Amino acid sequence: MQYKVTTFVLGAIHNNVYVIEKDGKCLVIDPTYDVTFTVEKYIRQNNLQLQGVLLTHGHFDHCGGALHFQKQGIDVYINEKDTILSTSASKNYWNIPCEDVTPNKFYTEGTNIVGDFTFEVVFTPGHTVGGVCLIFGNLLFSGDTLFHNSIGRTDFPGGDDVNMEGSLRKIAAMNDSLVLYPGHGEYGMTLGSEKKSNQYLIVL
């Protein structure tokens, strides 16, 4: 299955917001709080049908724009364990403007179907209790679990070093050909190359 991925780097913390599309349908992954004139404009100009909003975790910078789409009748998906974060996103420590969102759909670990999209969800706690990775074919959306040559912080509430190590072991066991799309920073490298350069994977 051939997917097209368009990346928008948005917000004060430079979030990677992704639109994944096929056959005129699309999903938005981790919409931060200023999506209206970028992501929504792209969807509209390309005549795409938005079928869902997928959150890799509940931190404000990854969910702060989800309510905008939910108000239009679009389902918002999350690991249920991170709902407490997304529903209090506006109370973030940095006082960065965003909207609280109460997701109305929850992932199951394994195969999930949203609209015309079938994908795999891997529960990867560590950065948050309910962090997940999303796999579409050979594309790995890793949220704030794994970055290029780094990993997500574990010193925020809900973070846990032991859980993070377990999640990284799950990722390290995945196919080297997966193409990595993290929540921040560089994207588009293979997981195989990341295993060779990222110290947090090398030591496993």
Side-chain angles (χ1 to χ4, degrees), residues 53-140:
V53 171
L54 309 184
L55 306 181
T56 61
H57 61 294
H59 278 158
F60 73 96
D61 53 325
H62 294 260
C63 74
L67 182 64
H68 177 79
F69 296 112
Q70 192 179 56
K71 288 178 178 178
Q72 301 173 29
I74 304 300
D75 290 329
V76 177
Y77 292 75
I78 200 171
N79 182 338
E80 189 171 8
K81 293 181 178 180
D82 263 14
T83 302
I84 191 171
L85 292 175
S86 68
T87 56
S88 59
S90 64
K91 301 176 181 63
N92 64 83
Y93 177 80
W94 295 271
N95 293 317
I96 293 176
C98 66
E99 293 184 297
D100 299 335
V101 63
T102 302
N104 59 310
K105 299 288 185 178
F106 302 117
Y107 302 121
T108 57
E109 188 159 28
T111 302
N112 288 245
I113 299 174
V114 176
D116 291 79
F117 294 83
T118 300
F119 56 99
E120 299 298 313
V121 176
V122 181
F123 288 1
T124 52
H127 180 64
T128 66
V129 175
V132 303
C133 288
L134 309 172
I135 302 174
F136 292 77
N138 72 326
L139 310 177
L140 172 60

Coordinates of all heavy atoms in Angstrom, one line a residue, residues 53-140:
V53 N -8.5 11.7 13.5 CA -7.4 12.3 14.1 C -6.7 11.3 15.0 O -7.4 10.8 15.9 CB -7.7 13.6 14.8 CG1 -6.5 14.2 15.6 CG2 -8.2 14.7 13.9
L54 N -5.5 11.0 14.8 CA -4.8 10.1 15.7 C -3.7 10.8 16.5 O -2.9 11.5 16.0 CB -4.0 9.0 14.8 CG -4.9 8.4 13.7 CD1 -4.0 7.3 13.0 CD2 -6.1 7.7 14.2
L55 N -3.8 10.5 17.8 CA -2.8 11.0 18.8 C -1.9 10.0 19.2 O -2.3 8.9 19.6 CB -3.5 11.6 20.0 CG -4.7 12.6 19.7 CD1 -5.3 13.1 21.0 CD2 -4.1 13.8 18.9
T56 N -0.6 10.3 19.2 CA 0.4 9.3 19.7 C 0.5 9.4 21.2 O 0.9 8.4 21.8 CB 1.8 9.6 19.1 OG1 2.3 10.9 19.5 CG2 1.8 9.4 17.6
H57 N 0.1 10.5 21.8 CA 0.0 10.6 23.3 C -0.7 11.9 23.6 O -1.1 12.6 22.7 CB 1.4 10.6 23.9 CG 2.3 11.7 23.5 ND1 2.9 11.8 22.3 CD2 2.9 12.7 24.3 CE1 3.7 12.8 22.2 NE2 3.7 13.4 23.4
G58 N -0.9 12.2 24.9 CA -1.8 13.2 25.2 C -1.2 14.6 25.6 O -2.0 15.4 26.1
H59 N 0.1 14.8 25.4 CA 0.6 16.1 25.7 C 0.1 17.2 24.8 O -0.3 17.0 23.7 CB 2.2 16.0 25.5 CG 2.9 15.4 26.7 ND1 4.1 14.9 26.6 CD2 2.5 15.3 28.0 CE1 4.5 14.4 27.8 NE2 3.5 14.7 28.7
F60 N 0.0 18.4 25.4 CA -0.7 19.5 24.8 C -0.2 19.8 23.4 O -1.0 20.2 22.6 CB -0.5 20.7 25.7 CG 0.9 21.3 25.7 CD1 1.2 22.4 24.8 CD2 1.9 20.8 26.5 CE1 2.4 22.9 24.8 CE2 3.2 21.3 26.5 CZ 3.4 22.4 25.6
D61 N 1.1 19.7 23.2 CA 1.6 20.1 21.9 C 1.3 19.0 20.8 O 1.6 19.3 19.6 CB 3.1 20.3 22.0 CG 3.9 19.2 22.6 OD1 3.4 18.5 23.5 OD2 5.1 18.9 22.1
H62 N 0.8 17.9 21.2 CA 0.4 16.9 20.2 C -1.1 16.8 20.0 O -1.6 16.1 19.1 CB 1.0 15.5 20.6 CG 2.4 15.5 20.5 ND1 3.1 15.0 19.4 CD2 3.4 16.0 21.3 CE1 4.4 15.1 19.6 NE2 4.6 15.7 20.8
C63 N -1.9 17.4 20.9 CA -3.3 17.3 20.8 C -4.1 18.6 20.8 O -5.3 18.7 20.7 CB -3.9 16.4 22.0 SG -3.8 17.3 23.6
G64 N -3.3 19.7 21.0 CA -3.9 21.0 21.2 C -4.8 21.5 20.0 O -5.6 22.5 20.2
G65 N -4.7 20.9 18.8 CA -5.5 21.3 17.7 C -6.6 20.3 17.4 O -7.3 20.5 16.4
A66 N -6.7 19.2 18.2 CA -7.6 18.1 17.8 C -9.1 18.5 18.0 O -9.9 18.1 17.2 CB -7.3 16.9 18.7
L67 N -9.3 19.4 18.9 CA -10.7 19.8 19.2 C -11.3 20.5 17.9 O -12.5 20.4 17.6 CB -10.8 20.7 20.4 CG -12.3 21.1 20.8 CD1 -13.1 19.9 21.1 CD2 -12.2 22.1 21.9
H68 N -10.4 21.2 17.2 CA -10.9 21.9 16.0 C -11.5 21.0 15.0 O -12.5 21.3 14.4 CB -9.7 22.6 15.4 CG -10.0 23.3 14.1 ND1 -10.6 24.6 14.1 CD2 -9.8 23.0 12.8 CE1 -10.7 24.9 12.8 NE2 -10.2 24.0 12.0
F69 N -10.9 19.8 14.9 CA -11.5 18.8 14.0 C -12.6 18.1 14.6 O -13.6 17.7 13.9 CB -10.4 17.8 13.5 CG -9.3 18.5 12.8 CD1 -8.0 18.6 13.3 CD2 -9.5 19.0 11.5 CE1 -7.0 19.2 12.6 CE2 -8.5 19.6 10.7 CZ -7.2 19.7 11.3
Q70 N -12.5 17.8 15.9 CA -13.6 17.1 16.6 C -14.9 17.8 16.5 O -16.0 17.3 16.3 CB -13.3 16.8 18.0 CG -14.2 15.8 18.7 CD -13.8 15.6 20.1 OE1 -13.6 16.5 20.9 NE2 -13.5 14.3 20.5
K71 N -14.9 19.2 16.5 CA -16.1 20.0 16.4 C -16.7 19.8 15.0 O -17.9 20.2 14.9 CB -15.7 21.5 16.7 CG -15.4 21.8 18.1 CD -15.0 23.3 18.3 CE -14.8 23.6 19.7 NZ -14.4 25.1 19.9
Q72 N -16.0 19.3 14.1 CA -16.5 19.1 12.7 C -17.0 17.7 12.6 O -17.3 17.3 11.4 CB -15.4 19.4 11.7 CG -14.9 20.8 11.7 CD -13.7 21.0 10.8 OE1 -13.6 20.4 9.8 NE2 -12.8 22.0 11.2
G73 N -17.0 16.9 13.7 CA -17.5 15.6 13.6 C -16.5 14.5 13.3 O -16.8 13.4 13.1
I74 N -15.2 14.9 13.4 CA -14.1 13.9 13.2 C -13.8 13.2 14.5 O -13.6 13.9 15.5 CB -12.9 14.7 12.6 CG1 -13.3 15.4 11.3 CG2 -11.8 13.7 12.4 CD1 -13.8 14.6 10.2
D75 N -13.7 11.9 14.5 CA -13.3 11.1 15.6 C -11.8 11.4 16.0 O -11.0 11.5 15.1 CB -13.5 9.6 15.4 CG -15.0 9.3 15.3 OD1 -15.8 9.9 16.0 OD2 -15.3 8.3 14.6
V76 N -11.6 11.5 17.3 CA -10.2 11.6 17.8 C -9.8 10.4 18.6 O -10.5 10.0 19.5 CB -10.1 12.9 18.7 CG1 -8.7 13.0 19.3 CG2 -10.4 14.1 17.9
Y77 N -8.7 9.8 18.2 CA -8.2 8.5 18.8 C -7.0 8.7 19.7 O -6.1 9.5 19.4 CB -7.8 7.5 17.7 CG -9.0 7.1 16.9 CD1 -9.6 7.9 15.9 CD2 -9.5 5.8 17.0 CE1 -10.6 7.4 15.1 CE2 -10.6 5.3 16.3 CZ -11.1 6.2 15.3 OH -12.2 5.7 14.5
I78 N -7.0 7.9 20.8 CA -5.9 8.0 21.8 C -5.8 6.7 22.5 O -6.8 5.9 22.6 CB -6.1 9.2 22.8 CG1 -4.8 9.6 23.5 CG2 -7.1 8.9 23.8 CD1 -4.9 10.9 24.3
N79 N -4.7 6.4 23.2 CA -4.7 5.3 24.2 C -5.4 5.9 25.4 O -5.1 7.0 25.9 CB -3.2 5.0 24.5 CG -3.1 3.9 25.6 OD1 -4.0 3.6 26.3 ND2 -1.9 3.3 25.6
E80 N -6.4 5.1 25.9 CA -7.3 5.6 26.9 C -6.5 6.1 28.2 O -6.9 7.0 28.9 CB -8.2 4.5 27.3 CG -9.3 5.0 28.3 CD -10.4 3.9 28.5 OE1 -10.2 2.8 28.0 OE2 -11.4 4.2 29.1
K81 N -5.3 5.6 28.4 CA -4.5 5.9 29.6 C -4.0 7.4 29.5 O -3.6 7.9 30.5 CB -3.3 5.0 29.7 CG -3.7 3.6 30.1 CD -2.5 2.7 30.3 CE -2.9 1.3 30.7 NZ -1.7 0.4 30.9
D82 N -4.0 8.0 28.3 CA -3.5 9.4 28.2 C -4.6 10.4 28.1 O -4.4 11.6 27.9 CB -2.6 9.5 27.0 CG -1.1 9.4 27.3 OD1 -0.8 9.0 28.5 OD2 -0.3 9.7 26.5
T83 N -5.9 10.0 28.3 CA -7.0 10.9 28.2 C -6.9 12.0 29.2 O -7.2 13.2 29.0 CB -8.3 10.2 28.4 OG1 -8.4 9.2 27.4 CG2 -9.5 11.1 28.2
I84 N -6.4 11.7 30.4 CA -6.2 12.7 31.5 C -5.3 13.8 31.0 O -5.5 15.0 31.5 CB -5.7 12.0 32.8 CG1 -5.9 13.0 33.9 CG2 -4.3 11.5 32.6 CD1 -5.6 12.4 35.3
L85 N -4.4 13.5 30.2 CA -3.5 14.6 29.7 C -4.1 15.5 28.7 O -4.1 16.7 28.7 CB -2.2 13.9 29.1 CG -1.2 13.2 30.0 CD1 -0.1 12.6 29.3 CD2 -0.7 14.2 31.1
S86 N -4.8 14.8 27.7 CA -5.4 15.6 26.6 C -6.6 16.5 27.1 O -6.8 17.6 26.6 CB -5.9 14.7 25.5 OG -7.0 13.9 25.9
T87 N -7.3 16.0 28.2 CA -8.4 16.8 28.7 C -7.9 18.0 29.6 O -8.8 18.8 29.9 CB -9.3 15.9 29.5 OG1 -8.6 15.3 30.6 CG2 -10.0 14.9 28.6
S88 N -6.6 18.1 29.8 CA -6.1 19.2 30.6 C -5.0 19.9 29.9 O -4.1 20.5 30.5 CB -5.6 18.7 32.0 OG -4.6 17.7 31.9
A89 N -5.0 19.8 28.5 CA -3.9 20.3 27.7 C -3.7 21.8 27.9 O -2.5 22.3 27.9 CB -4.1 20.0 26.3
S90 N -4.7 22.5 28.1 CA -4.6 24.0 28.2 C -3.9 24.4 29.5 O -3.5 25.6 29.6 CB -6.0 24.6 28.1 OG -6.8 24.2 29.2
K91 N -3.8 23.5 30.4 CA -3.1 23.9 31.7 C -1.7 23.5 31.7 O -1.1 23.3 32.7 CB -3.8 23.1 32.8 CG -5.3 23.5 33.0 CD -6.0 22.7 34.0 CE -7.5 23.1 34.1 NZ -8.2 22.7 32.9
N92 N -1.1 23.4 30.5 CA 0.3 23.0 30.4 C 1.3 24.0 31.1 O 0.9 25.2 31.3 CB 0.7 22.9 28.9 CG 0.6 24.2 28.1 OD1 1.6 25.0 28.2 ND2 -0.5 24.4 27.5
Y93 N 2.4 23.5 31.5 CA 3.3 24.3 32.3 C 3.8 25.6 31.7 O 4.1 26.5 32.4 CB 4.5 23.4 32.6 CG 5.6 24.0 33.4 CD1 5.6 24.1 34.8 CD2 6.8 24.5 32.8 CE1 6.6 24.7 35.5 CE2 7.8 25.1 33.5 CZ 7.7 25.2 34.9 OH 8.7 25.8 35.6
W94 N 3.9 25.6 30.3 CA 4.4 26.7 29.6 C 3.4 27.7 29.3 O 3.7 28.7 28.7 CB 5.1 26.2 28.3 CG 6.3 25.4 28.6 CD1 7.6 25.8 28.8 CD2 6.3 24.0 28.8 NE1 8.4 24.7 29.1 CE2 7.7 23.6 29.1 CE3 5.4 23.0 28.7 CZ2 8.1 22.3 29.3 CZ3 5.7 21.6 28.9 CH2 7.1 21.3 29.2
N95 N 2.1 27.5 29.6 CA 1.0 28.4 29.3 C 0.9 28.7 27.8 O 0.5 29.8 27.4 CB 1.1 29.7 30.1 CG 1.0 29.5 31.6 OD1 0.1 28.7 32.0 ND2 1.8 30.1 32.4
I96 N 1.2 27.7 27.0 CA 1.1 27.8 25.6 C -0.4 27.6 25.2 O -1.0 26.6 25.6 CB 2.0 26.8 24.8 CG1 3.5 27.2 25.1 CG2 1.7 26.8 23.4 CD1 4.5 26.2 24.5
P97 N -1.0 28.5 24.4 CA -2.4 28.3 24.1 C -2.7 27.0 23.3 O -2.0 26.7 22.4 CB -2.6 29.6 23.2 CG -1.5 30.5 23.5 CD -0.3 29.7 23.8
C98 N -3.7 26.4 23.8 CA -4.2 25.2 23.1 C -5.5 24.8 23.7 O -5.9 25.4 24.7 CB -3.2 24.0 23.2 SG -3.0 23.3 24.8
E99 N -6.2 23.9 23.0 CA -7.6 23.5 23.5 C -7.6 22.1 24.1 O -7.0 21.2 23.5 CB -8.6 23.6 22.4 CG -8.8 25.0 21.8 CD -9.9 25.0 20.8 OE1 -9.7 24.4 19.7 OE2 -10.9 25.7 21.0
D100 N -8.2 22.0 25.2 CA -8.4 20.6 25.8 C -9.3 19.8 24.8 O -10.1 20.3 24.1 CB -9.2 20.7 27.1 CG -8.4 21.5 28.2 OD1 -7.2 21.6 28.1 OD2 -9.1 22.0 29.1
V101 N -9.0 18.5 24.8 CA -9.8 17.6 23.9 C -10.1 16.3 24.7 O -9.2 15.8 25.4 CB -9.2 17.4 22.6 CG1 -7.8 16.6 22.7 CG2 -10.1 16.6 21.7
T102 N -11.3 15.8 24.6 CA -11.7 14.5 25.1 C -11.9 13.6 24.0 O -12.9 13.6 23.3 CB -13.0 14.6 26.0 OG1 -12.8 15.6 27.0 CG2 -13.3 13.3 26.6
P103 N -10.8 12.8 23.7 CA -11.0 11.8 22.6 C -12.2 10.9 22.8 O -12.5 10.5 23.9 CB -9.7 11.0 22.6 CG -8.7 12.0 23.3 CD -9.5 12.7 24.3
N104 N -12.8 10.6 21.7 CA -14.0 9.7 21.7 C -13.8 8.3 21.2 O -14.7 7.5 21.2 CB -15.2 10.4 20.9 CG -14.8 10.6 19.5 OD1 -13.8 11.2 19.2 ND2 -15.7 10.2 18.6
K105 N -12.6 8.0 20.8 CA -12.2 6.7 20.4 C -10.9 6.3 21.0 O -10.0 7.1 21.2 CB -12.1 6.6 18.8 CG -13.4 7.0 18.1 CD -14.4 5.9 18.2 CE -15.6 6.2 17.3 NZ -16.7 5.2 17.3
F106 N -10.8 5.0 21.3 CA -9.6 4.4 21.9 C -9.0 3.3 21.1 O -9.7 2.5 20.6 CB -9.9 3.9 23.4 CG -10.5 5.0 24.2 CD1 -11.8 4.9 24.7 CD2 -9.8 6.2 24.5 CE1 -12.3 5.8 25.6 CE2 -10.3 7.2 25.3 CZ -11.6 7.0 25.8
Y107 N -7.6 3.3 21.1 CA -6.9 2.2 20.3 C -7.0 0.9 21.1 O -7.1 0.9 22.3 CB -5.4 2.6 20.2 CG -5.1 3.9 19.5 CD1 -4.3 4.8 20.2 CD2 -5.4 4.1 18.2 CE1 -4.0 6.0 19.6 CE2 -5.0 5.2 17.6 CZ -4.3 6.2 18.2 OH -3.9 7.4 17.6
T108 N -6.9 -0.1 20.3 CA -6.6 -1.4 20.9 C -5.2 -1.7 20.4 O -4.8 -1.3 19.3 CB -7.5 -2.5 20.4 OG1 -7.5 -2.6 19.0 CG2 -9.0 -2.3 20.9
E109 N -4.4 -2.5 21.2 CA -3.1 -2.8 20.7 C -3.2 -3.9 19.6 O -3.9 -4.9 19.8 CB -2.2 -3.3 21.9 CG -0.7 -3.5 21.5 CD 0.2 -3.5 22.6 OE1 -0.2 -3.8 23.8 OE2 1.4 -3.1 22.4
G110 N -2.5 -3.6 18.5 CA -2.6 -4.5 17.4 C -3.2 -3.8 16.2 O -3.1 -2.6 16.1
T111 N -4.0 -4.5 15.4 CA -4.6 -3.9 14.2 C -5.8 -3.0 14.6 O -6.7 -3.4 15.3 CB -5.1 -5.1 13.3 OG1 -3.9 -5.9 13.0 CG2 -5.7 -4.5 12.0
N112 N -5.8 -1.8 14.0 CA -6.9 -0.9 14.1 C -7.3 -0.5 12.8 O -6.6 -0.4 11.8 CB -6.4 0.3 14.9 CG -6.2 0.1 16.4 OD1 -7.0 0.6 17.3 ND2 -5.3 -0.8 16.8
I113 N -8.6 -0.1 12.6 CA -9.2 0.4 11.4 C -9.9 1.7 11.6 O -10.7 1.8 12.5 CB -10.2 -0.6 10.8 CG1 -9.5 -2.0 10.5 CG2 -10.8 -0.1 9.5 CD1 -10.4 -3.1 10.0
V114 N -9.5 2.7 10.9 CA -10.1 4.0 11.0 C -10.5 4.4 9.5 O -9.6 4.6 8.7 CB -9.2 5.1 11.6 CG1 -9.9 6.4 11.6 CG2 -8.9 4.7 13.0
G115 N -11.8 4.5 9.2 CA -12.2 4.8 7.9 C -11.6 3.7 6.9 O -11.8 2.5 7.1
D116 N -10.9 4.2 5.9 CA -10.3 3.3 4.9 C -8.9 2.9 5.2 O -8.2 2.3 4.4 CB -10.3 4.0 3.5 CG -11.7 4.2 3.0 OD1 -12.4 5.1 3.4 OD2 -12.1 3.4 2.1
F117 N -8.4 3.2 6.4 CA -7.0 3.0 6.8 C -7.0 1.8 7.8 O -7.7 1.8 8.8 CB -6.4 4.2 7.5 CG -6.2 5.3 6.5 CD1 -7.3 6.2 6.3 CD2 -5.0 5.6 5.9 CE1 -7.2 7.3 5.4 CE2 -4.9 6.6 5.0 CZ -5.9 7.5 4.8
T118 N -6.1 0.9 7.6 CA -5.8 -0.2 8.5 C -4.3 -0.1 8.9 O -3.4 0.0 8.1 CB -6.0 -1.6 7.9 OG1 -7.4 -1.7 7.5 CG2 -5.7 -2.7 8.8
F119 N -4.1 -0.1 10.2 CA -2.7 0.1 10.7 C -2.5 -0.6 12.0 O -3.5 -1.1 12.7 CB -2.5 1.7 10.9 CG -3.4 2.4 11.8 CD1 -3.1 2.6 13.1 CD2 -4.7 2.8 11.3 CE1 -4.0 3.3 13.9 CE2 -5.6 3.4 12.1 CZ -5.3 3.7 13.5
E120 N -1.3 -0.7 12.5 CA -0.9 -1.3 13.7 C -0.6 -0.3 14.8 O 0.0 0.7 14.5 CB 0.3 -2.2 13.5 CG 0.1 -3.3 12.5 CD -1.0 -4.3 12.9 OE1 -1.0 -4.7 14.1 OE2 -1.8 -4.6 12.1
V121 N -1.1 -0.6 16.0 CA -0.8 0.3 17.1 C 0.0 -0.5 18.1 O -0.3 -1.6 18.5 CB -2.1 0.8 17.8 CG1 -1.8 1.5 19.1 CG2 -2.9 1.6 16.9
V122 N 1.2 0.0 18.5 CA 2.0 -0.6 19.5 C 2.1 0.3 20.7 O 2.4 1.5 20.6 CB 3.5 -0.8 18.9 CG1 4.4 -1.5 20.0 CG2 3.5 -1.6 17.6
F123 N 1.7 -0.2 21.9 CA 1.7 0.6 23.1 C 3.2 0.8 23.5 O 3.9 -0.2 23.7 CB 0.9 -0.1 24.2 CG -0.6 0.0 24.0 CD1 -1.2 0.6 22.8 CD2 -1.5 -0.6 24.9 CE1 -2.5 0.7 22.7 CE2 -2.9 -0.5 24.7 CZ -3.4 0.1 23.6
T124 N 3.6 2.0 23.7 CA 5.0 2.3 24.0 C 5.0 3.3 25.1 O 5.4 4.5 24.9 CB 5.7 2.8 22.8 OG1 5.0 3.9 22.2 CG2 5.9 1.7 21.8
P125 N 4.7 3.0 26.4 CA 4.8 3.9 27.5 C 6.2 4.2 27.8 O 7.1 3.5 27.4 CB 4.1 3.1 28.6 CG 4.4 1.7 28.3 CD 4.2 1.6 26.8
G126 N 6.4 5.3 28.5 CA 7.7 5.7 28.9 C 7.8 7.2 28.9 O 8.1 7.8 30.0
H127 N 7.5 7.9 27.8 CA 7.3 9.3 27.8 C 6.1 9.7 28.5 O 6.0 10.7 29.3 CB 7.4 9.8 26.4 CG 7.2 11.3 26.2 ND1 8.2 12.2 26.7 CD2 6.3 12.0 25.6 CE1 7.8 13.4 26.4 NE2 6.6 13.4 25.7
T128 N 5.0 9.0 28.2 CA 3.7 9.1 29.0 C 3.2 7.7 29.2 O 3.8 6.7 28.6 CB 2.7 9.9 28.2 OG1 2.3 9.1 27.0 CG2 3.1 11.3 27.8
V129 N 2.2 7.6 30.1 CA 1.7 6.3 30.4 C 1.0 5.6 29.2 O 1.1 4.4 29.0 CB 0.6 6.4 31.5 CG1 0.0 5.0 31.8 CG2 1.3 6.9 32.8
G130 N 0.4 6.5 28.3 CA -0.4 5.9 27.2 C 0.2 6.2 25.8 O -0.5 6.2 24.8
G131 N 1.5 6.4 25.8 CA 2.2 6.6 24.5 C 2.0 5.4 23.5 O 2.0 4.3 24.0
V132 N 1.9 5.7 22.2 CA 1.8 4.6 21.2 C 2.7 5.0 20.0 O 3.0 6.1 19.8 CB 0.4 4.4 20.8 CG1 -0.6 4.1 21.9 CG2 -0.2 5.6 20.0
C133 N 3.0 3.9 19.3 CA 3.6 4.1 18.0 C 2.6 3.6 17.0 O 1.8 2.6 17.3 CB 4.9 3.3 17.8 SG 6.3 4.0 18.7
L134 N 2.5 4.2 15.8 CA 1.5 3.8 14.8 C 2.3 3.4 13.5 O 3.2 4.0 13.1 CB 0.7 5.0 14.4 CG 0.0 5.8 15.6 CD1 -0.6 7.0 15.1 CD2 -1.0 4.9 16.3
I135 N 1.9 2.2 13.0 CA 2.6 1.6 11.8 C 1.6 1.5 10.7 O 0.7 0.8 10.8 CB 3.3 0.3 12.2 CG1 4.2 0.4 13.3 CG2 4.0 -0.3 10.9 CD1 4.8 -0.9 13.8
F136 N 1.9 2.2 9.6 CA 1.2 2.1 8.3 C 2.1 1.5 7.3 O 3.0 2.2 6.8 CB 0.7 3.5 7.9 CG -0.3 4.1 8.8 CD1 0.0 4.7 10.0 CD2 -1.7 4.2 8.4 CE1 -0.9 5.3 10.8 CE2 -2.6 4.8 9.2 CZ -2.3 5.3 10.4
G137 N 2.0 0.3 7.0 CA 2.9 -0.3 6.0 C 4.3 -0.3 6.5 O 4.6 -0.9 7.5
N138 N 5.1 0.5 5.8 CA 6.5 0.6 6.2 C 6.8 2.0 6.9 O 8.0 2.4 6.9 CB 7.5 0.4 5.0 CG 7.4 1.6 4.0 OD1 6.4 2.2 3.8 ND2 8.6 1.9 3.4
L139 N 5.8 2.6 7.4 CA 5.9 3.9 8.0 C 5.7 3.8 9.5 O 4.7 3.2 9.9 CB 4.9 4.9 7.4 CG 4.8 5.0 5.9 CD1 3.8 6.0 5.5 CD2 6.2 5.4 5.3
L140 N 6.6 4.3 10.3 CA 6.5 4.2 11.7 C 6.4 5.6 12.3 O 7.4 6.4 12.3 CB 7.8 3.5 12.3 CG 8.0 3.5 13.8 CD1 6.8 2.9 14.5 CD2 9.3 2.9 14.2

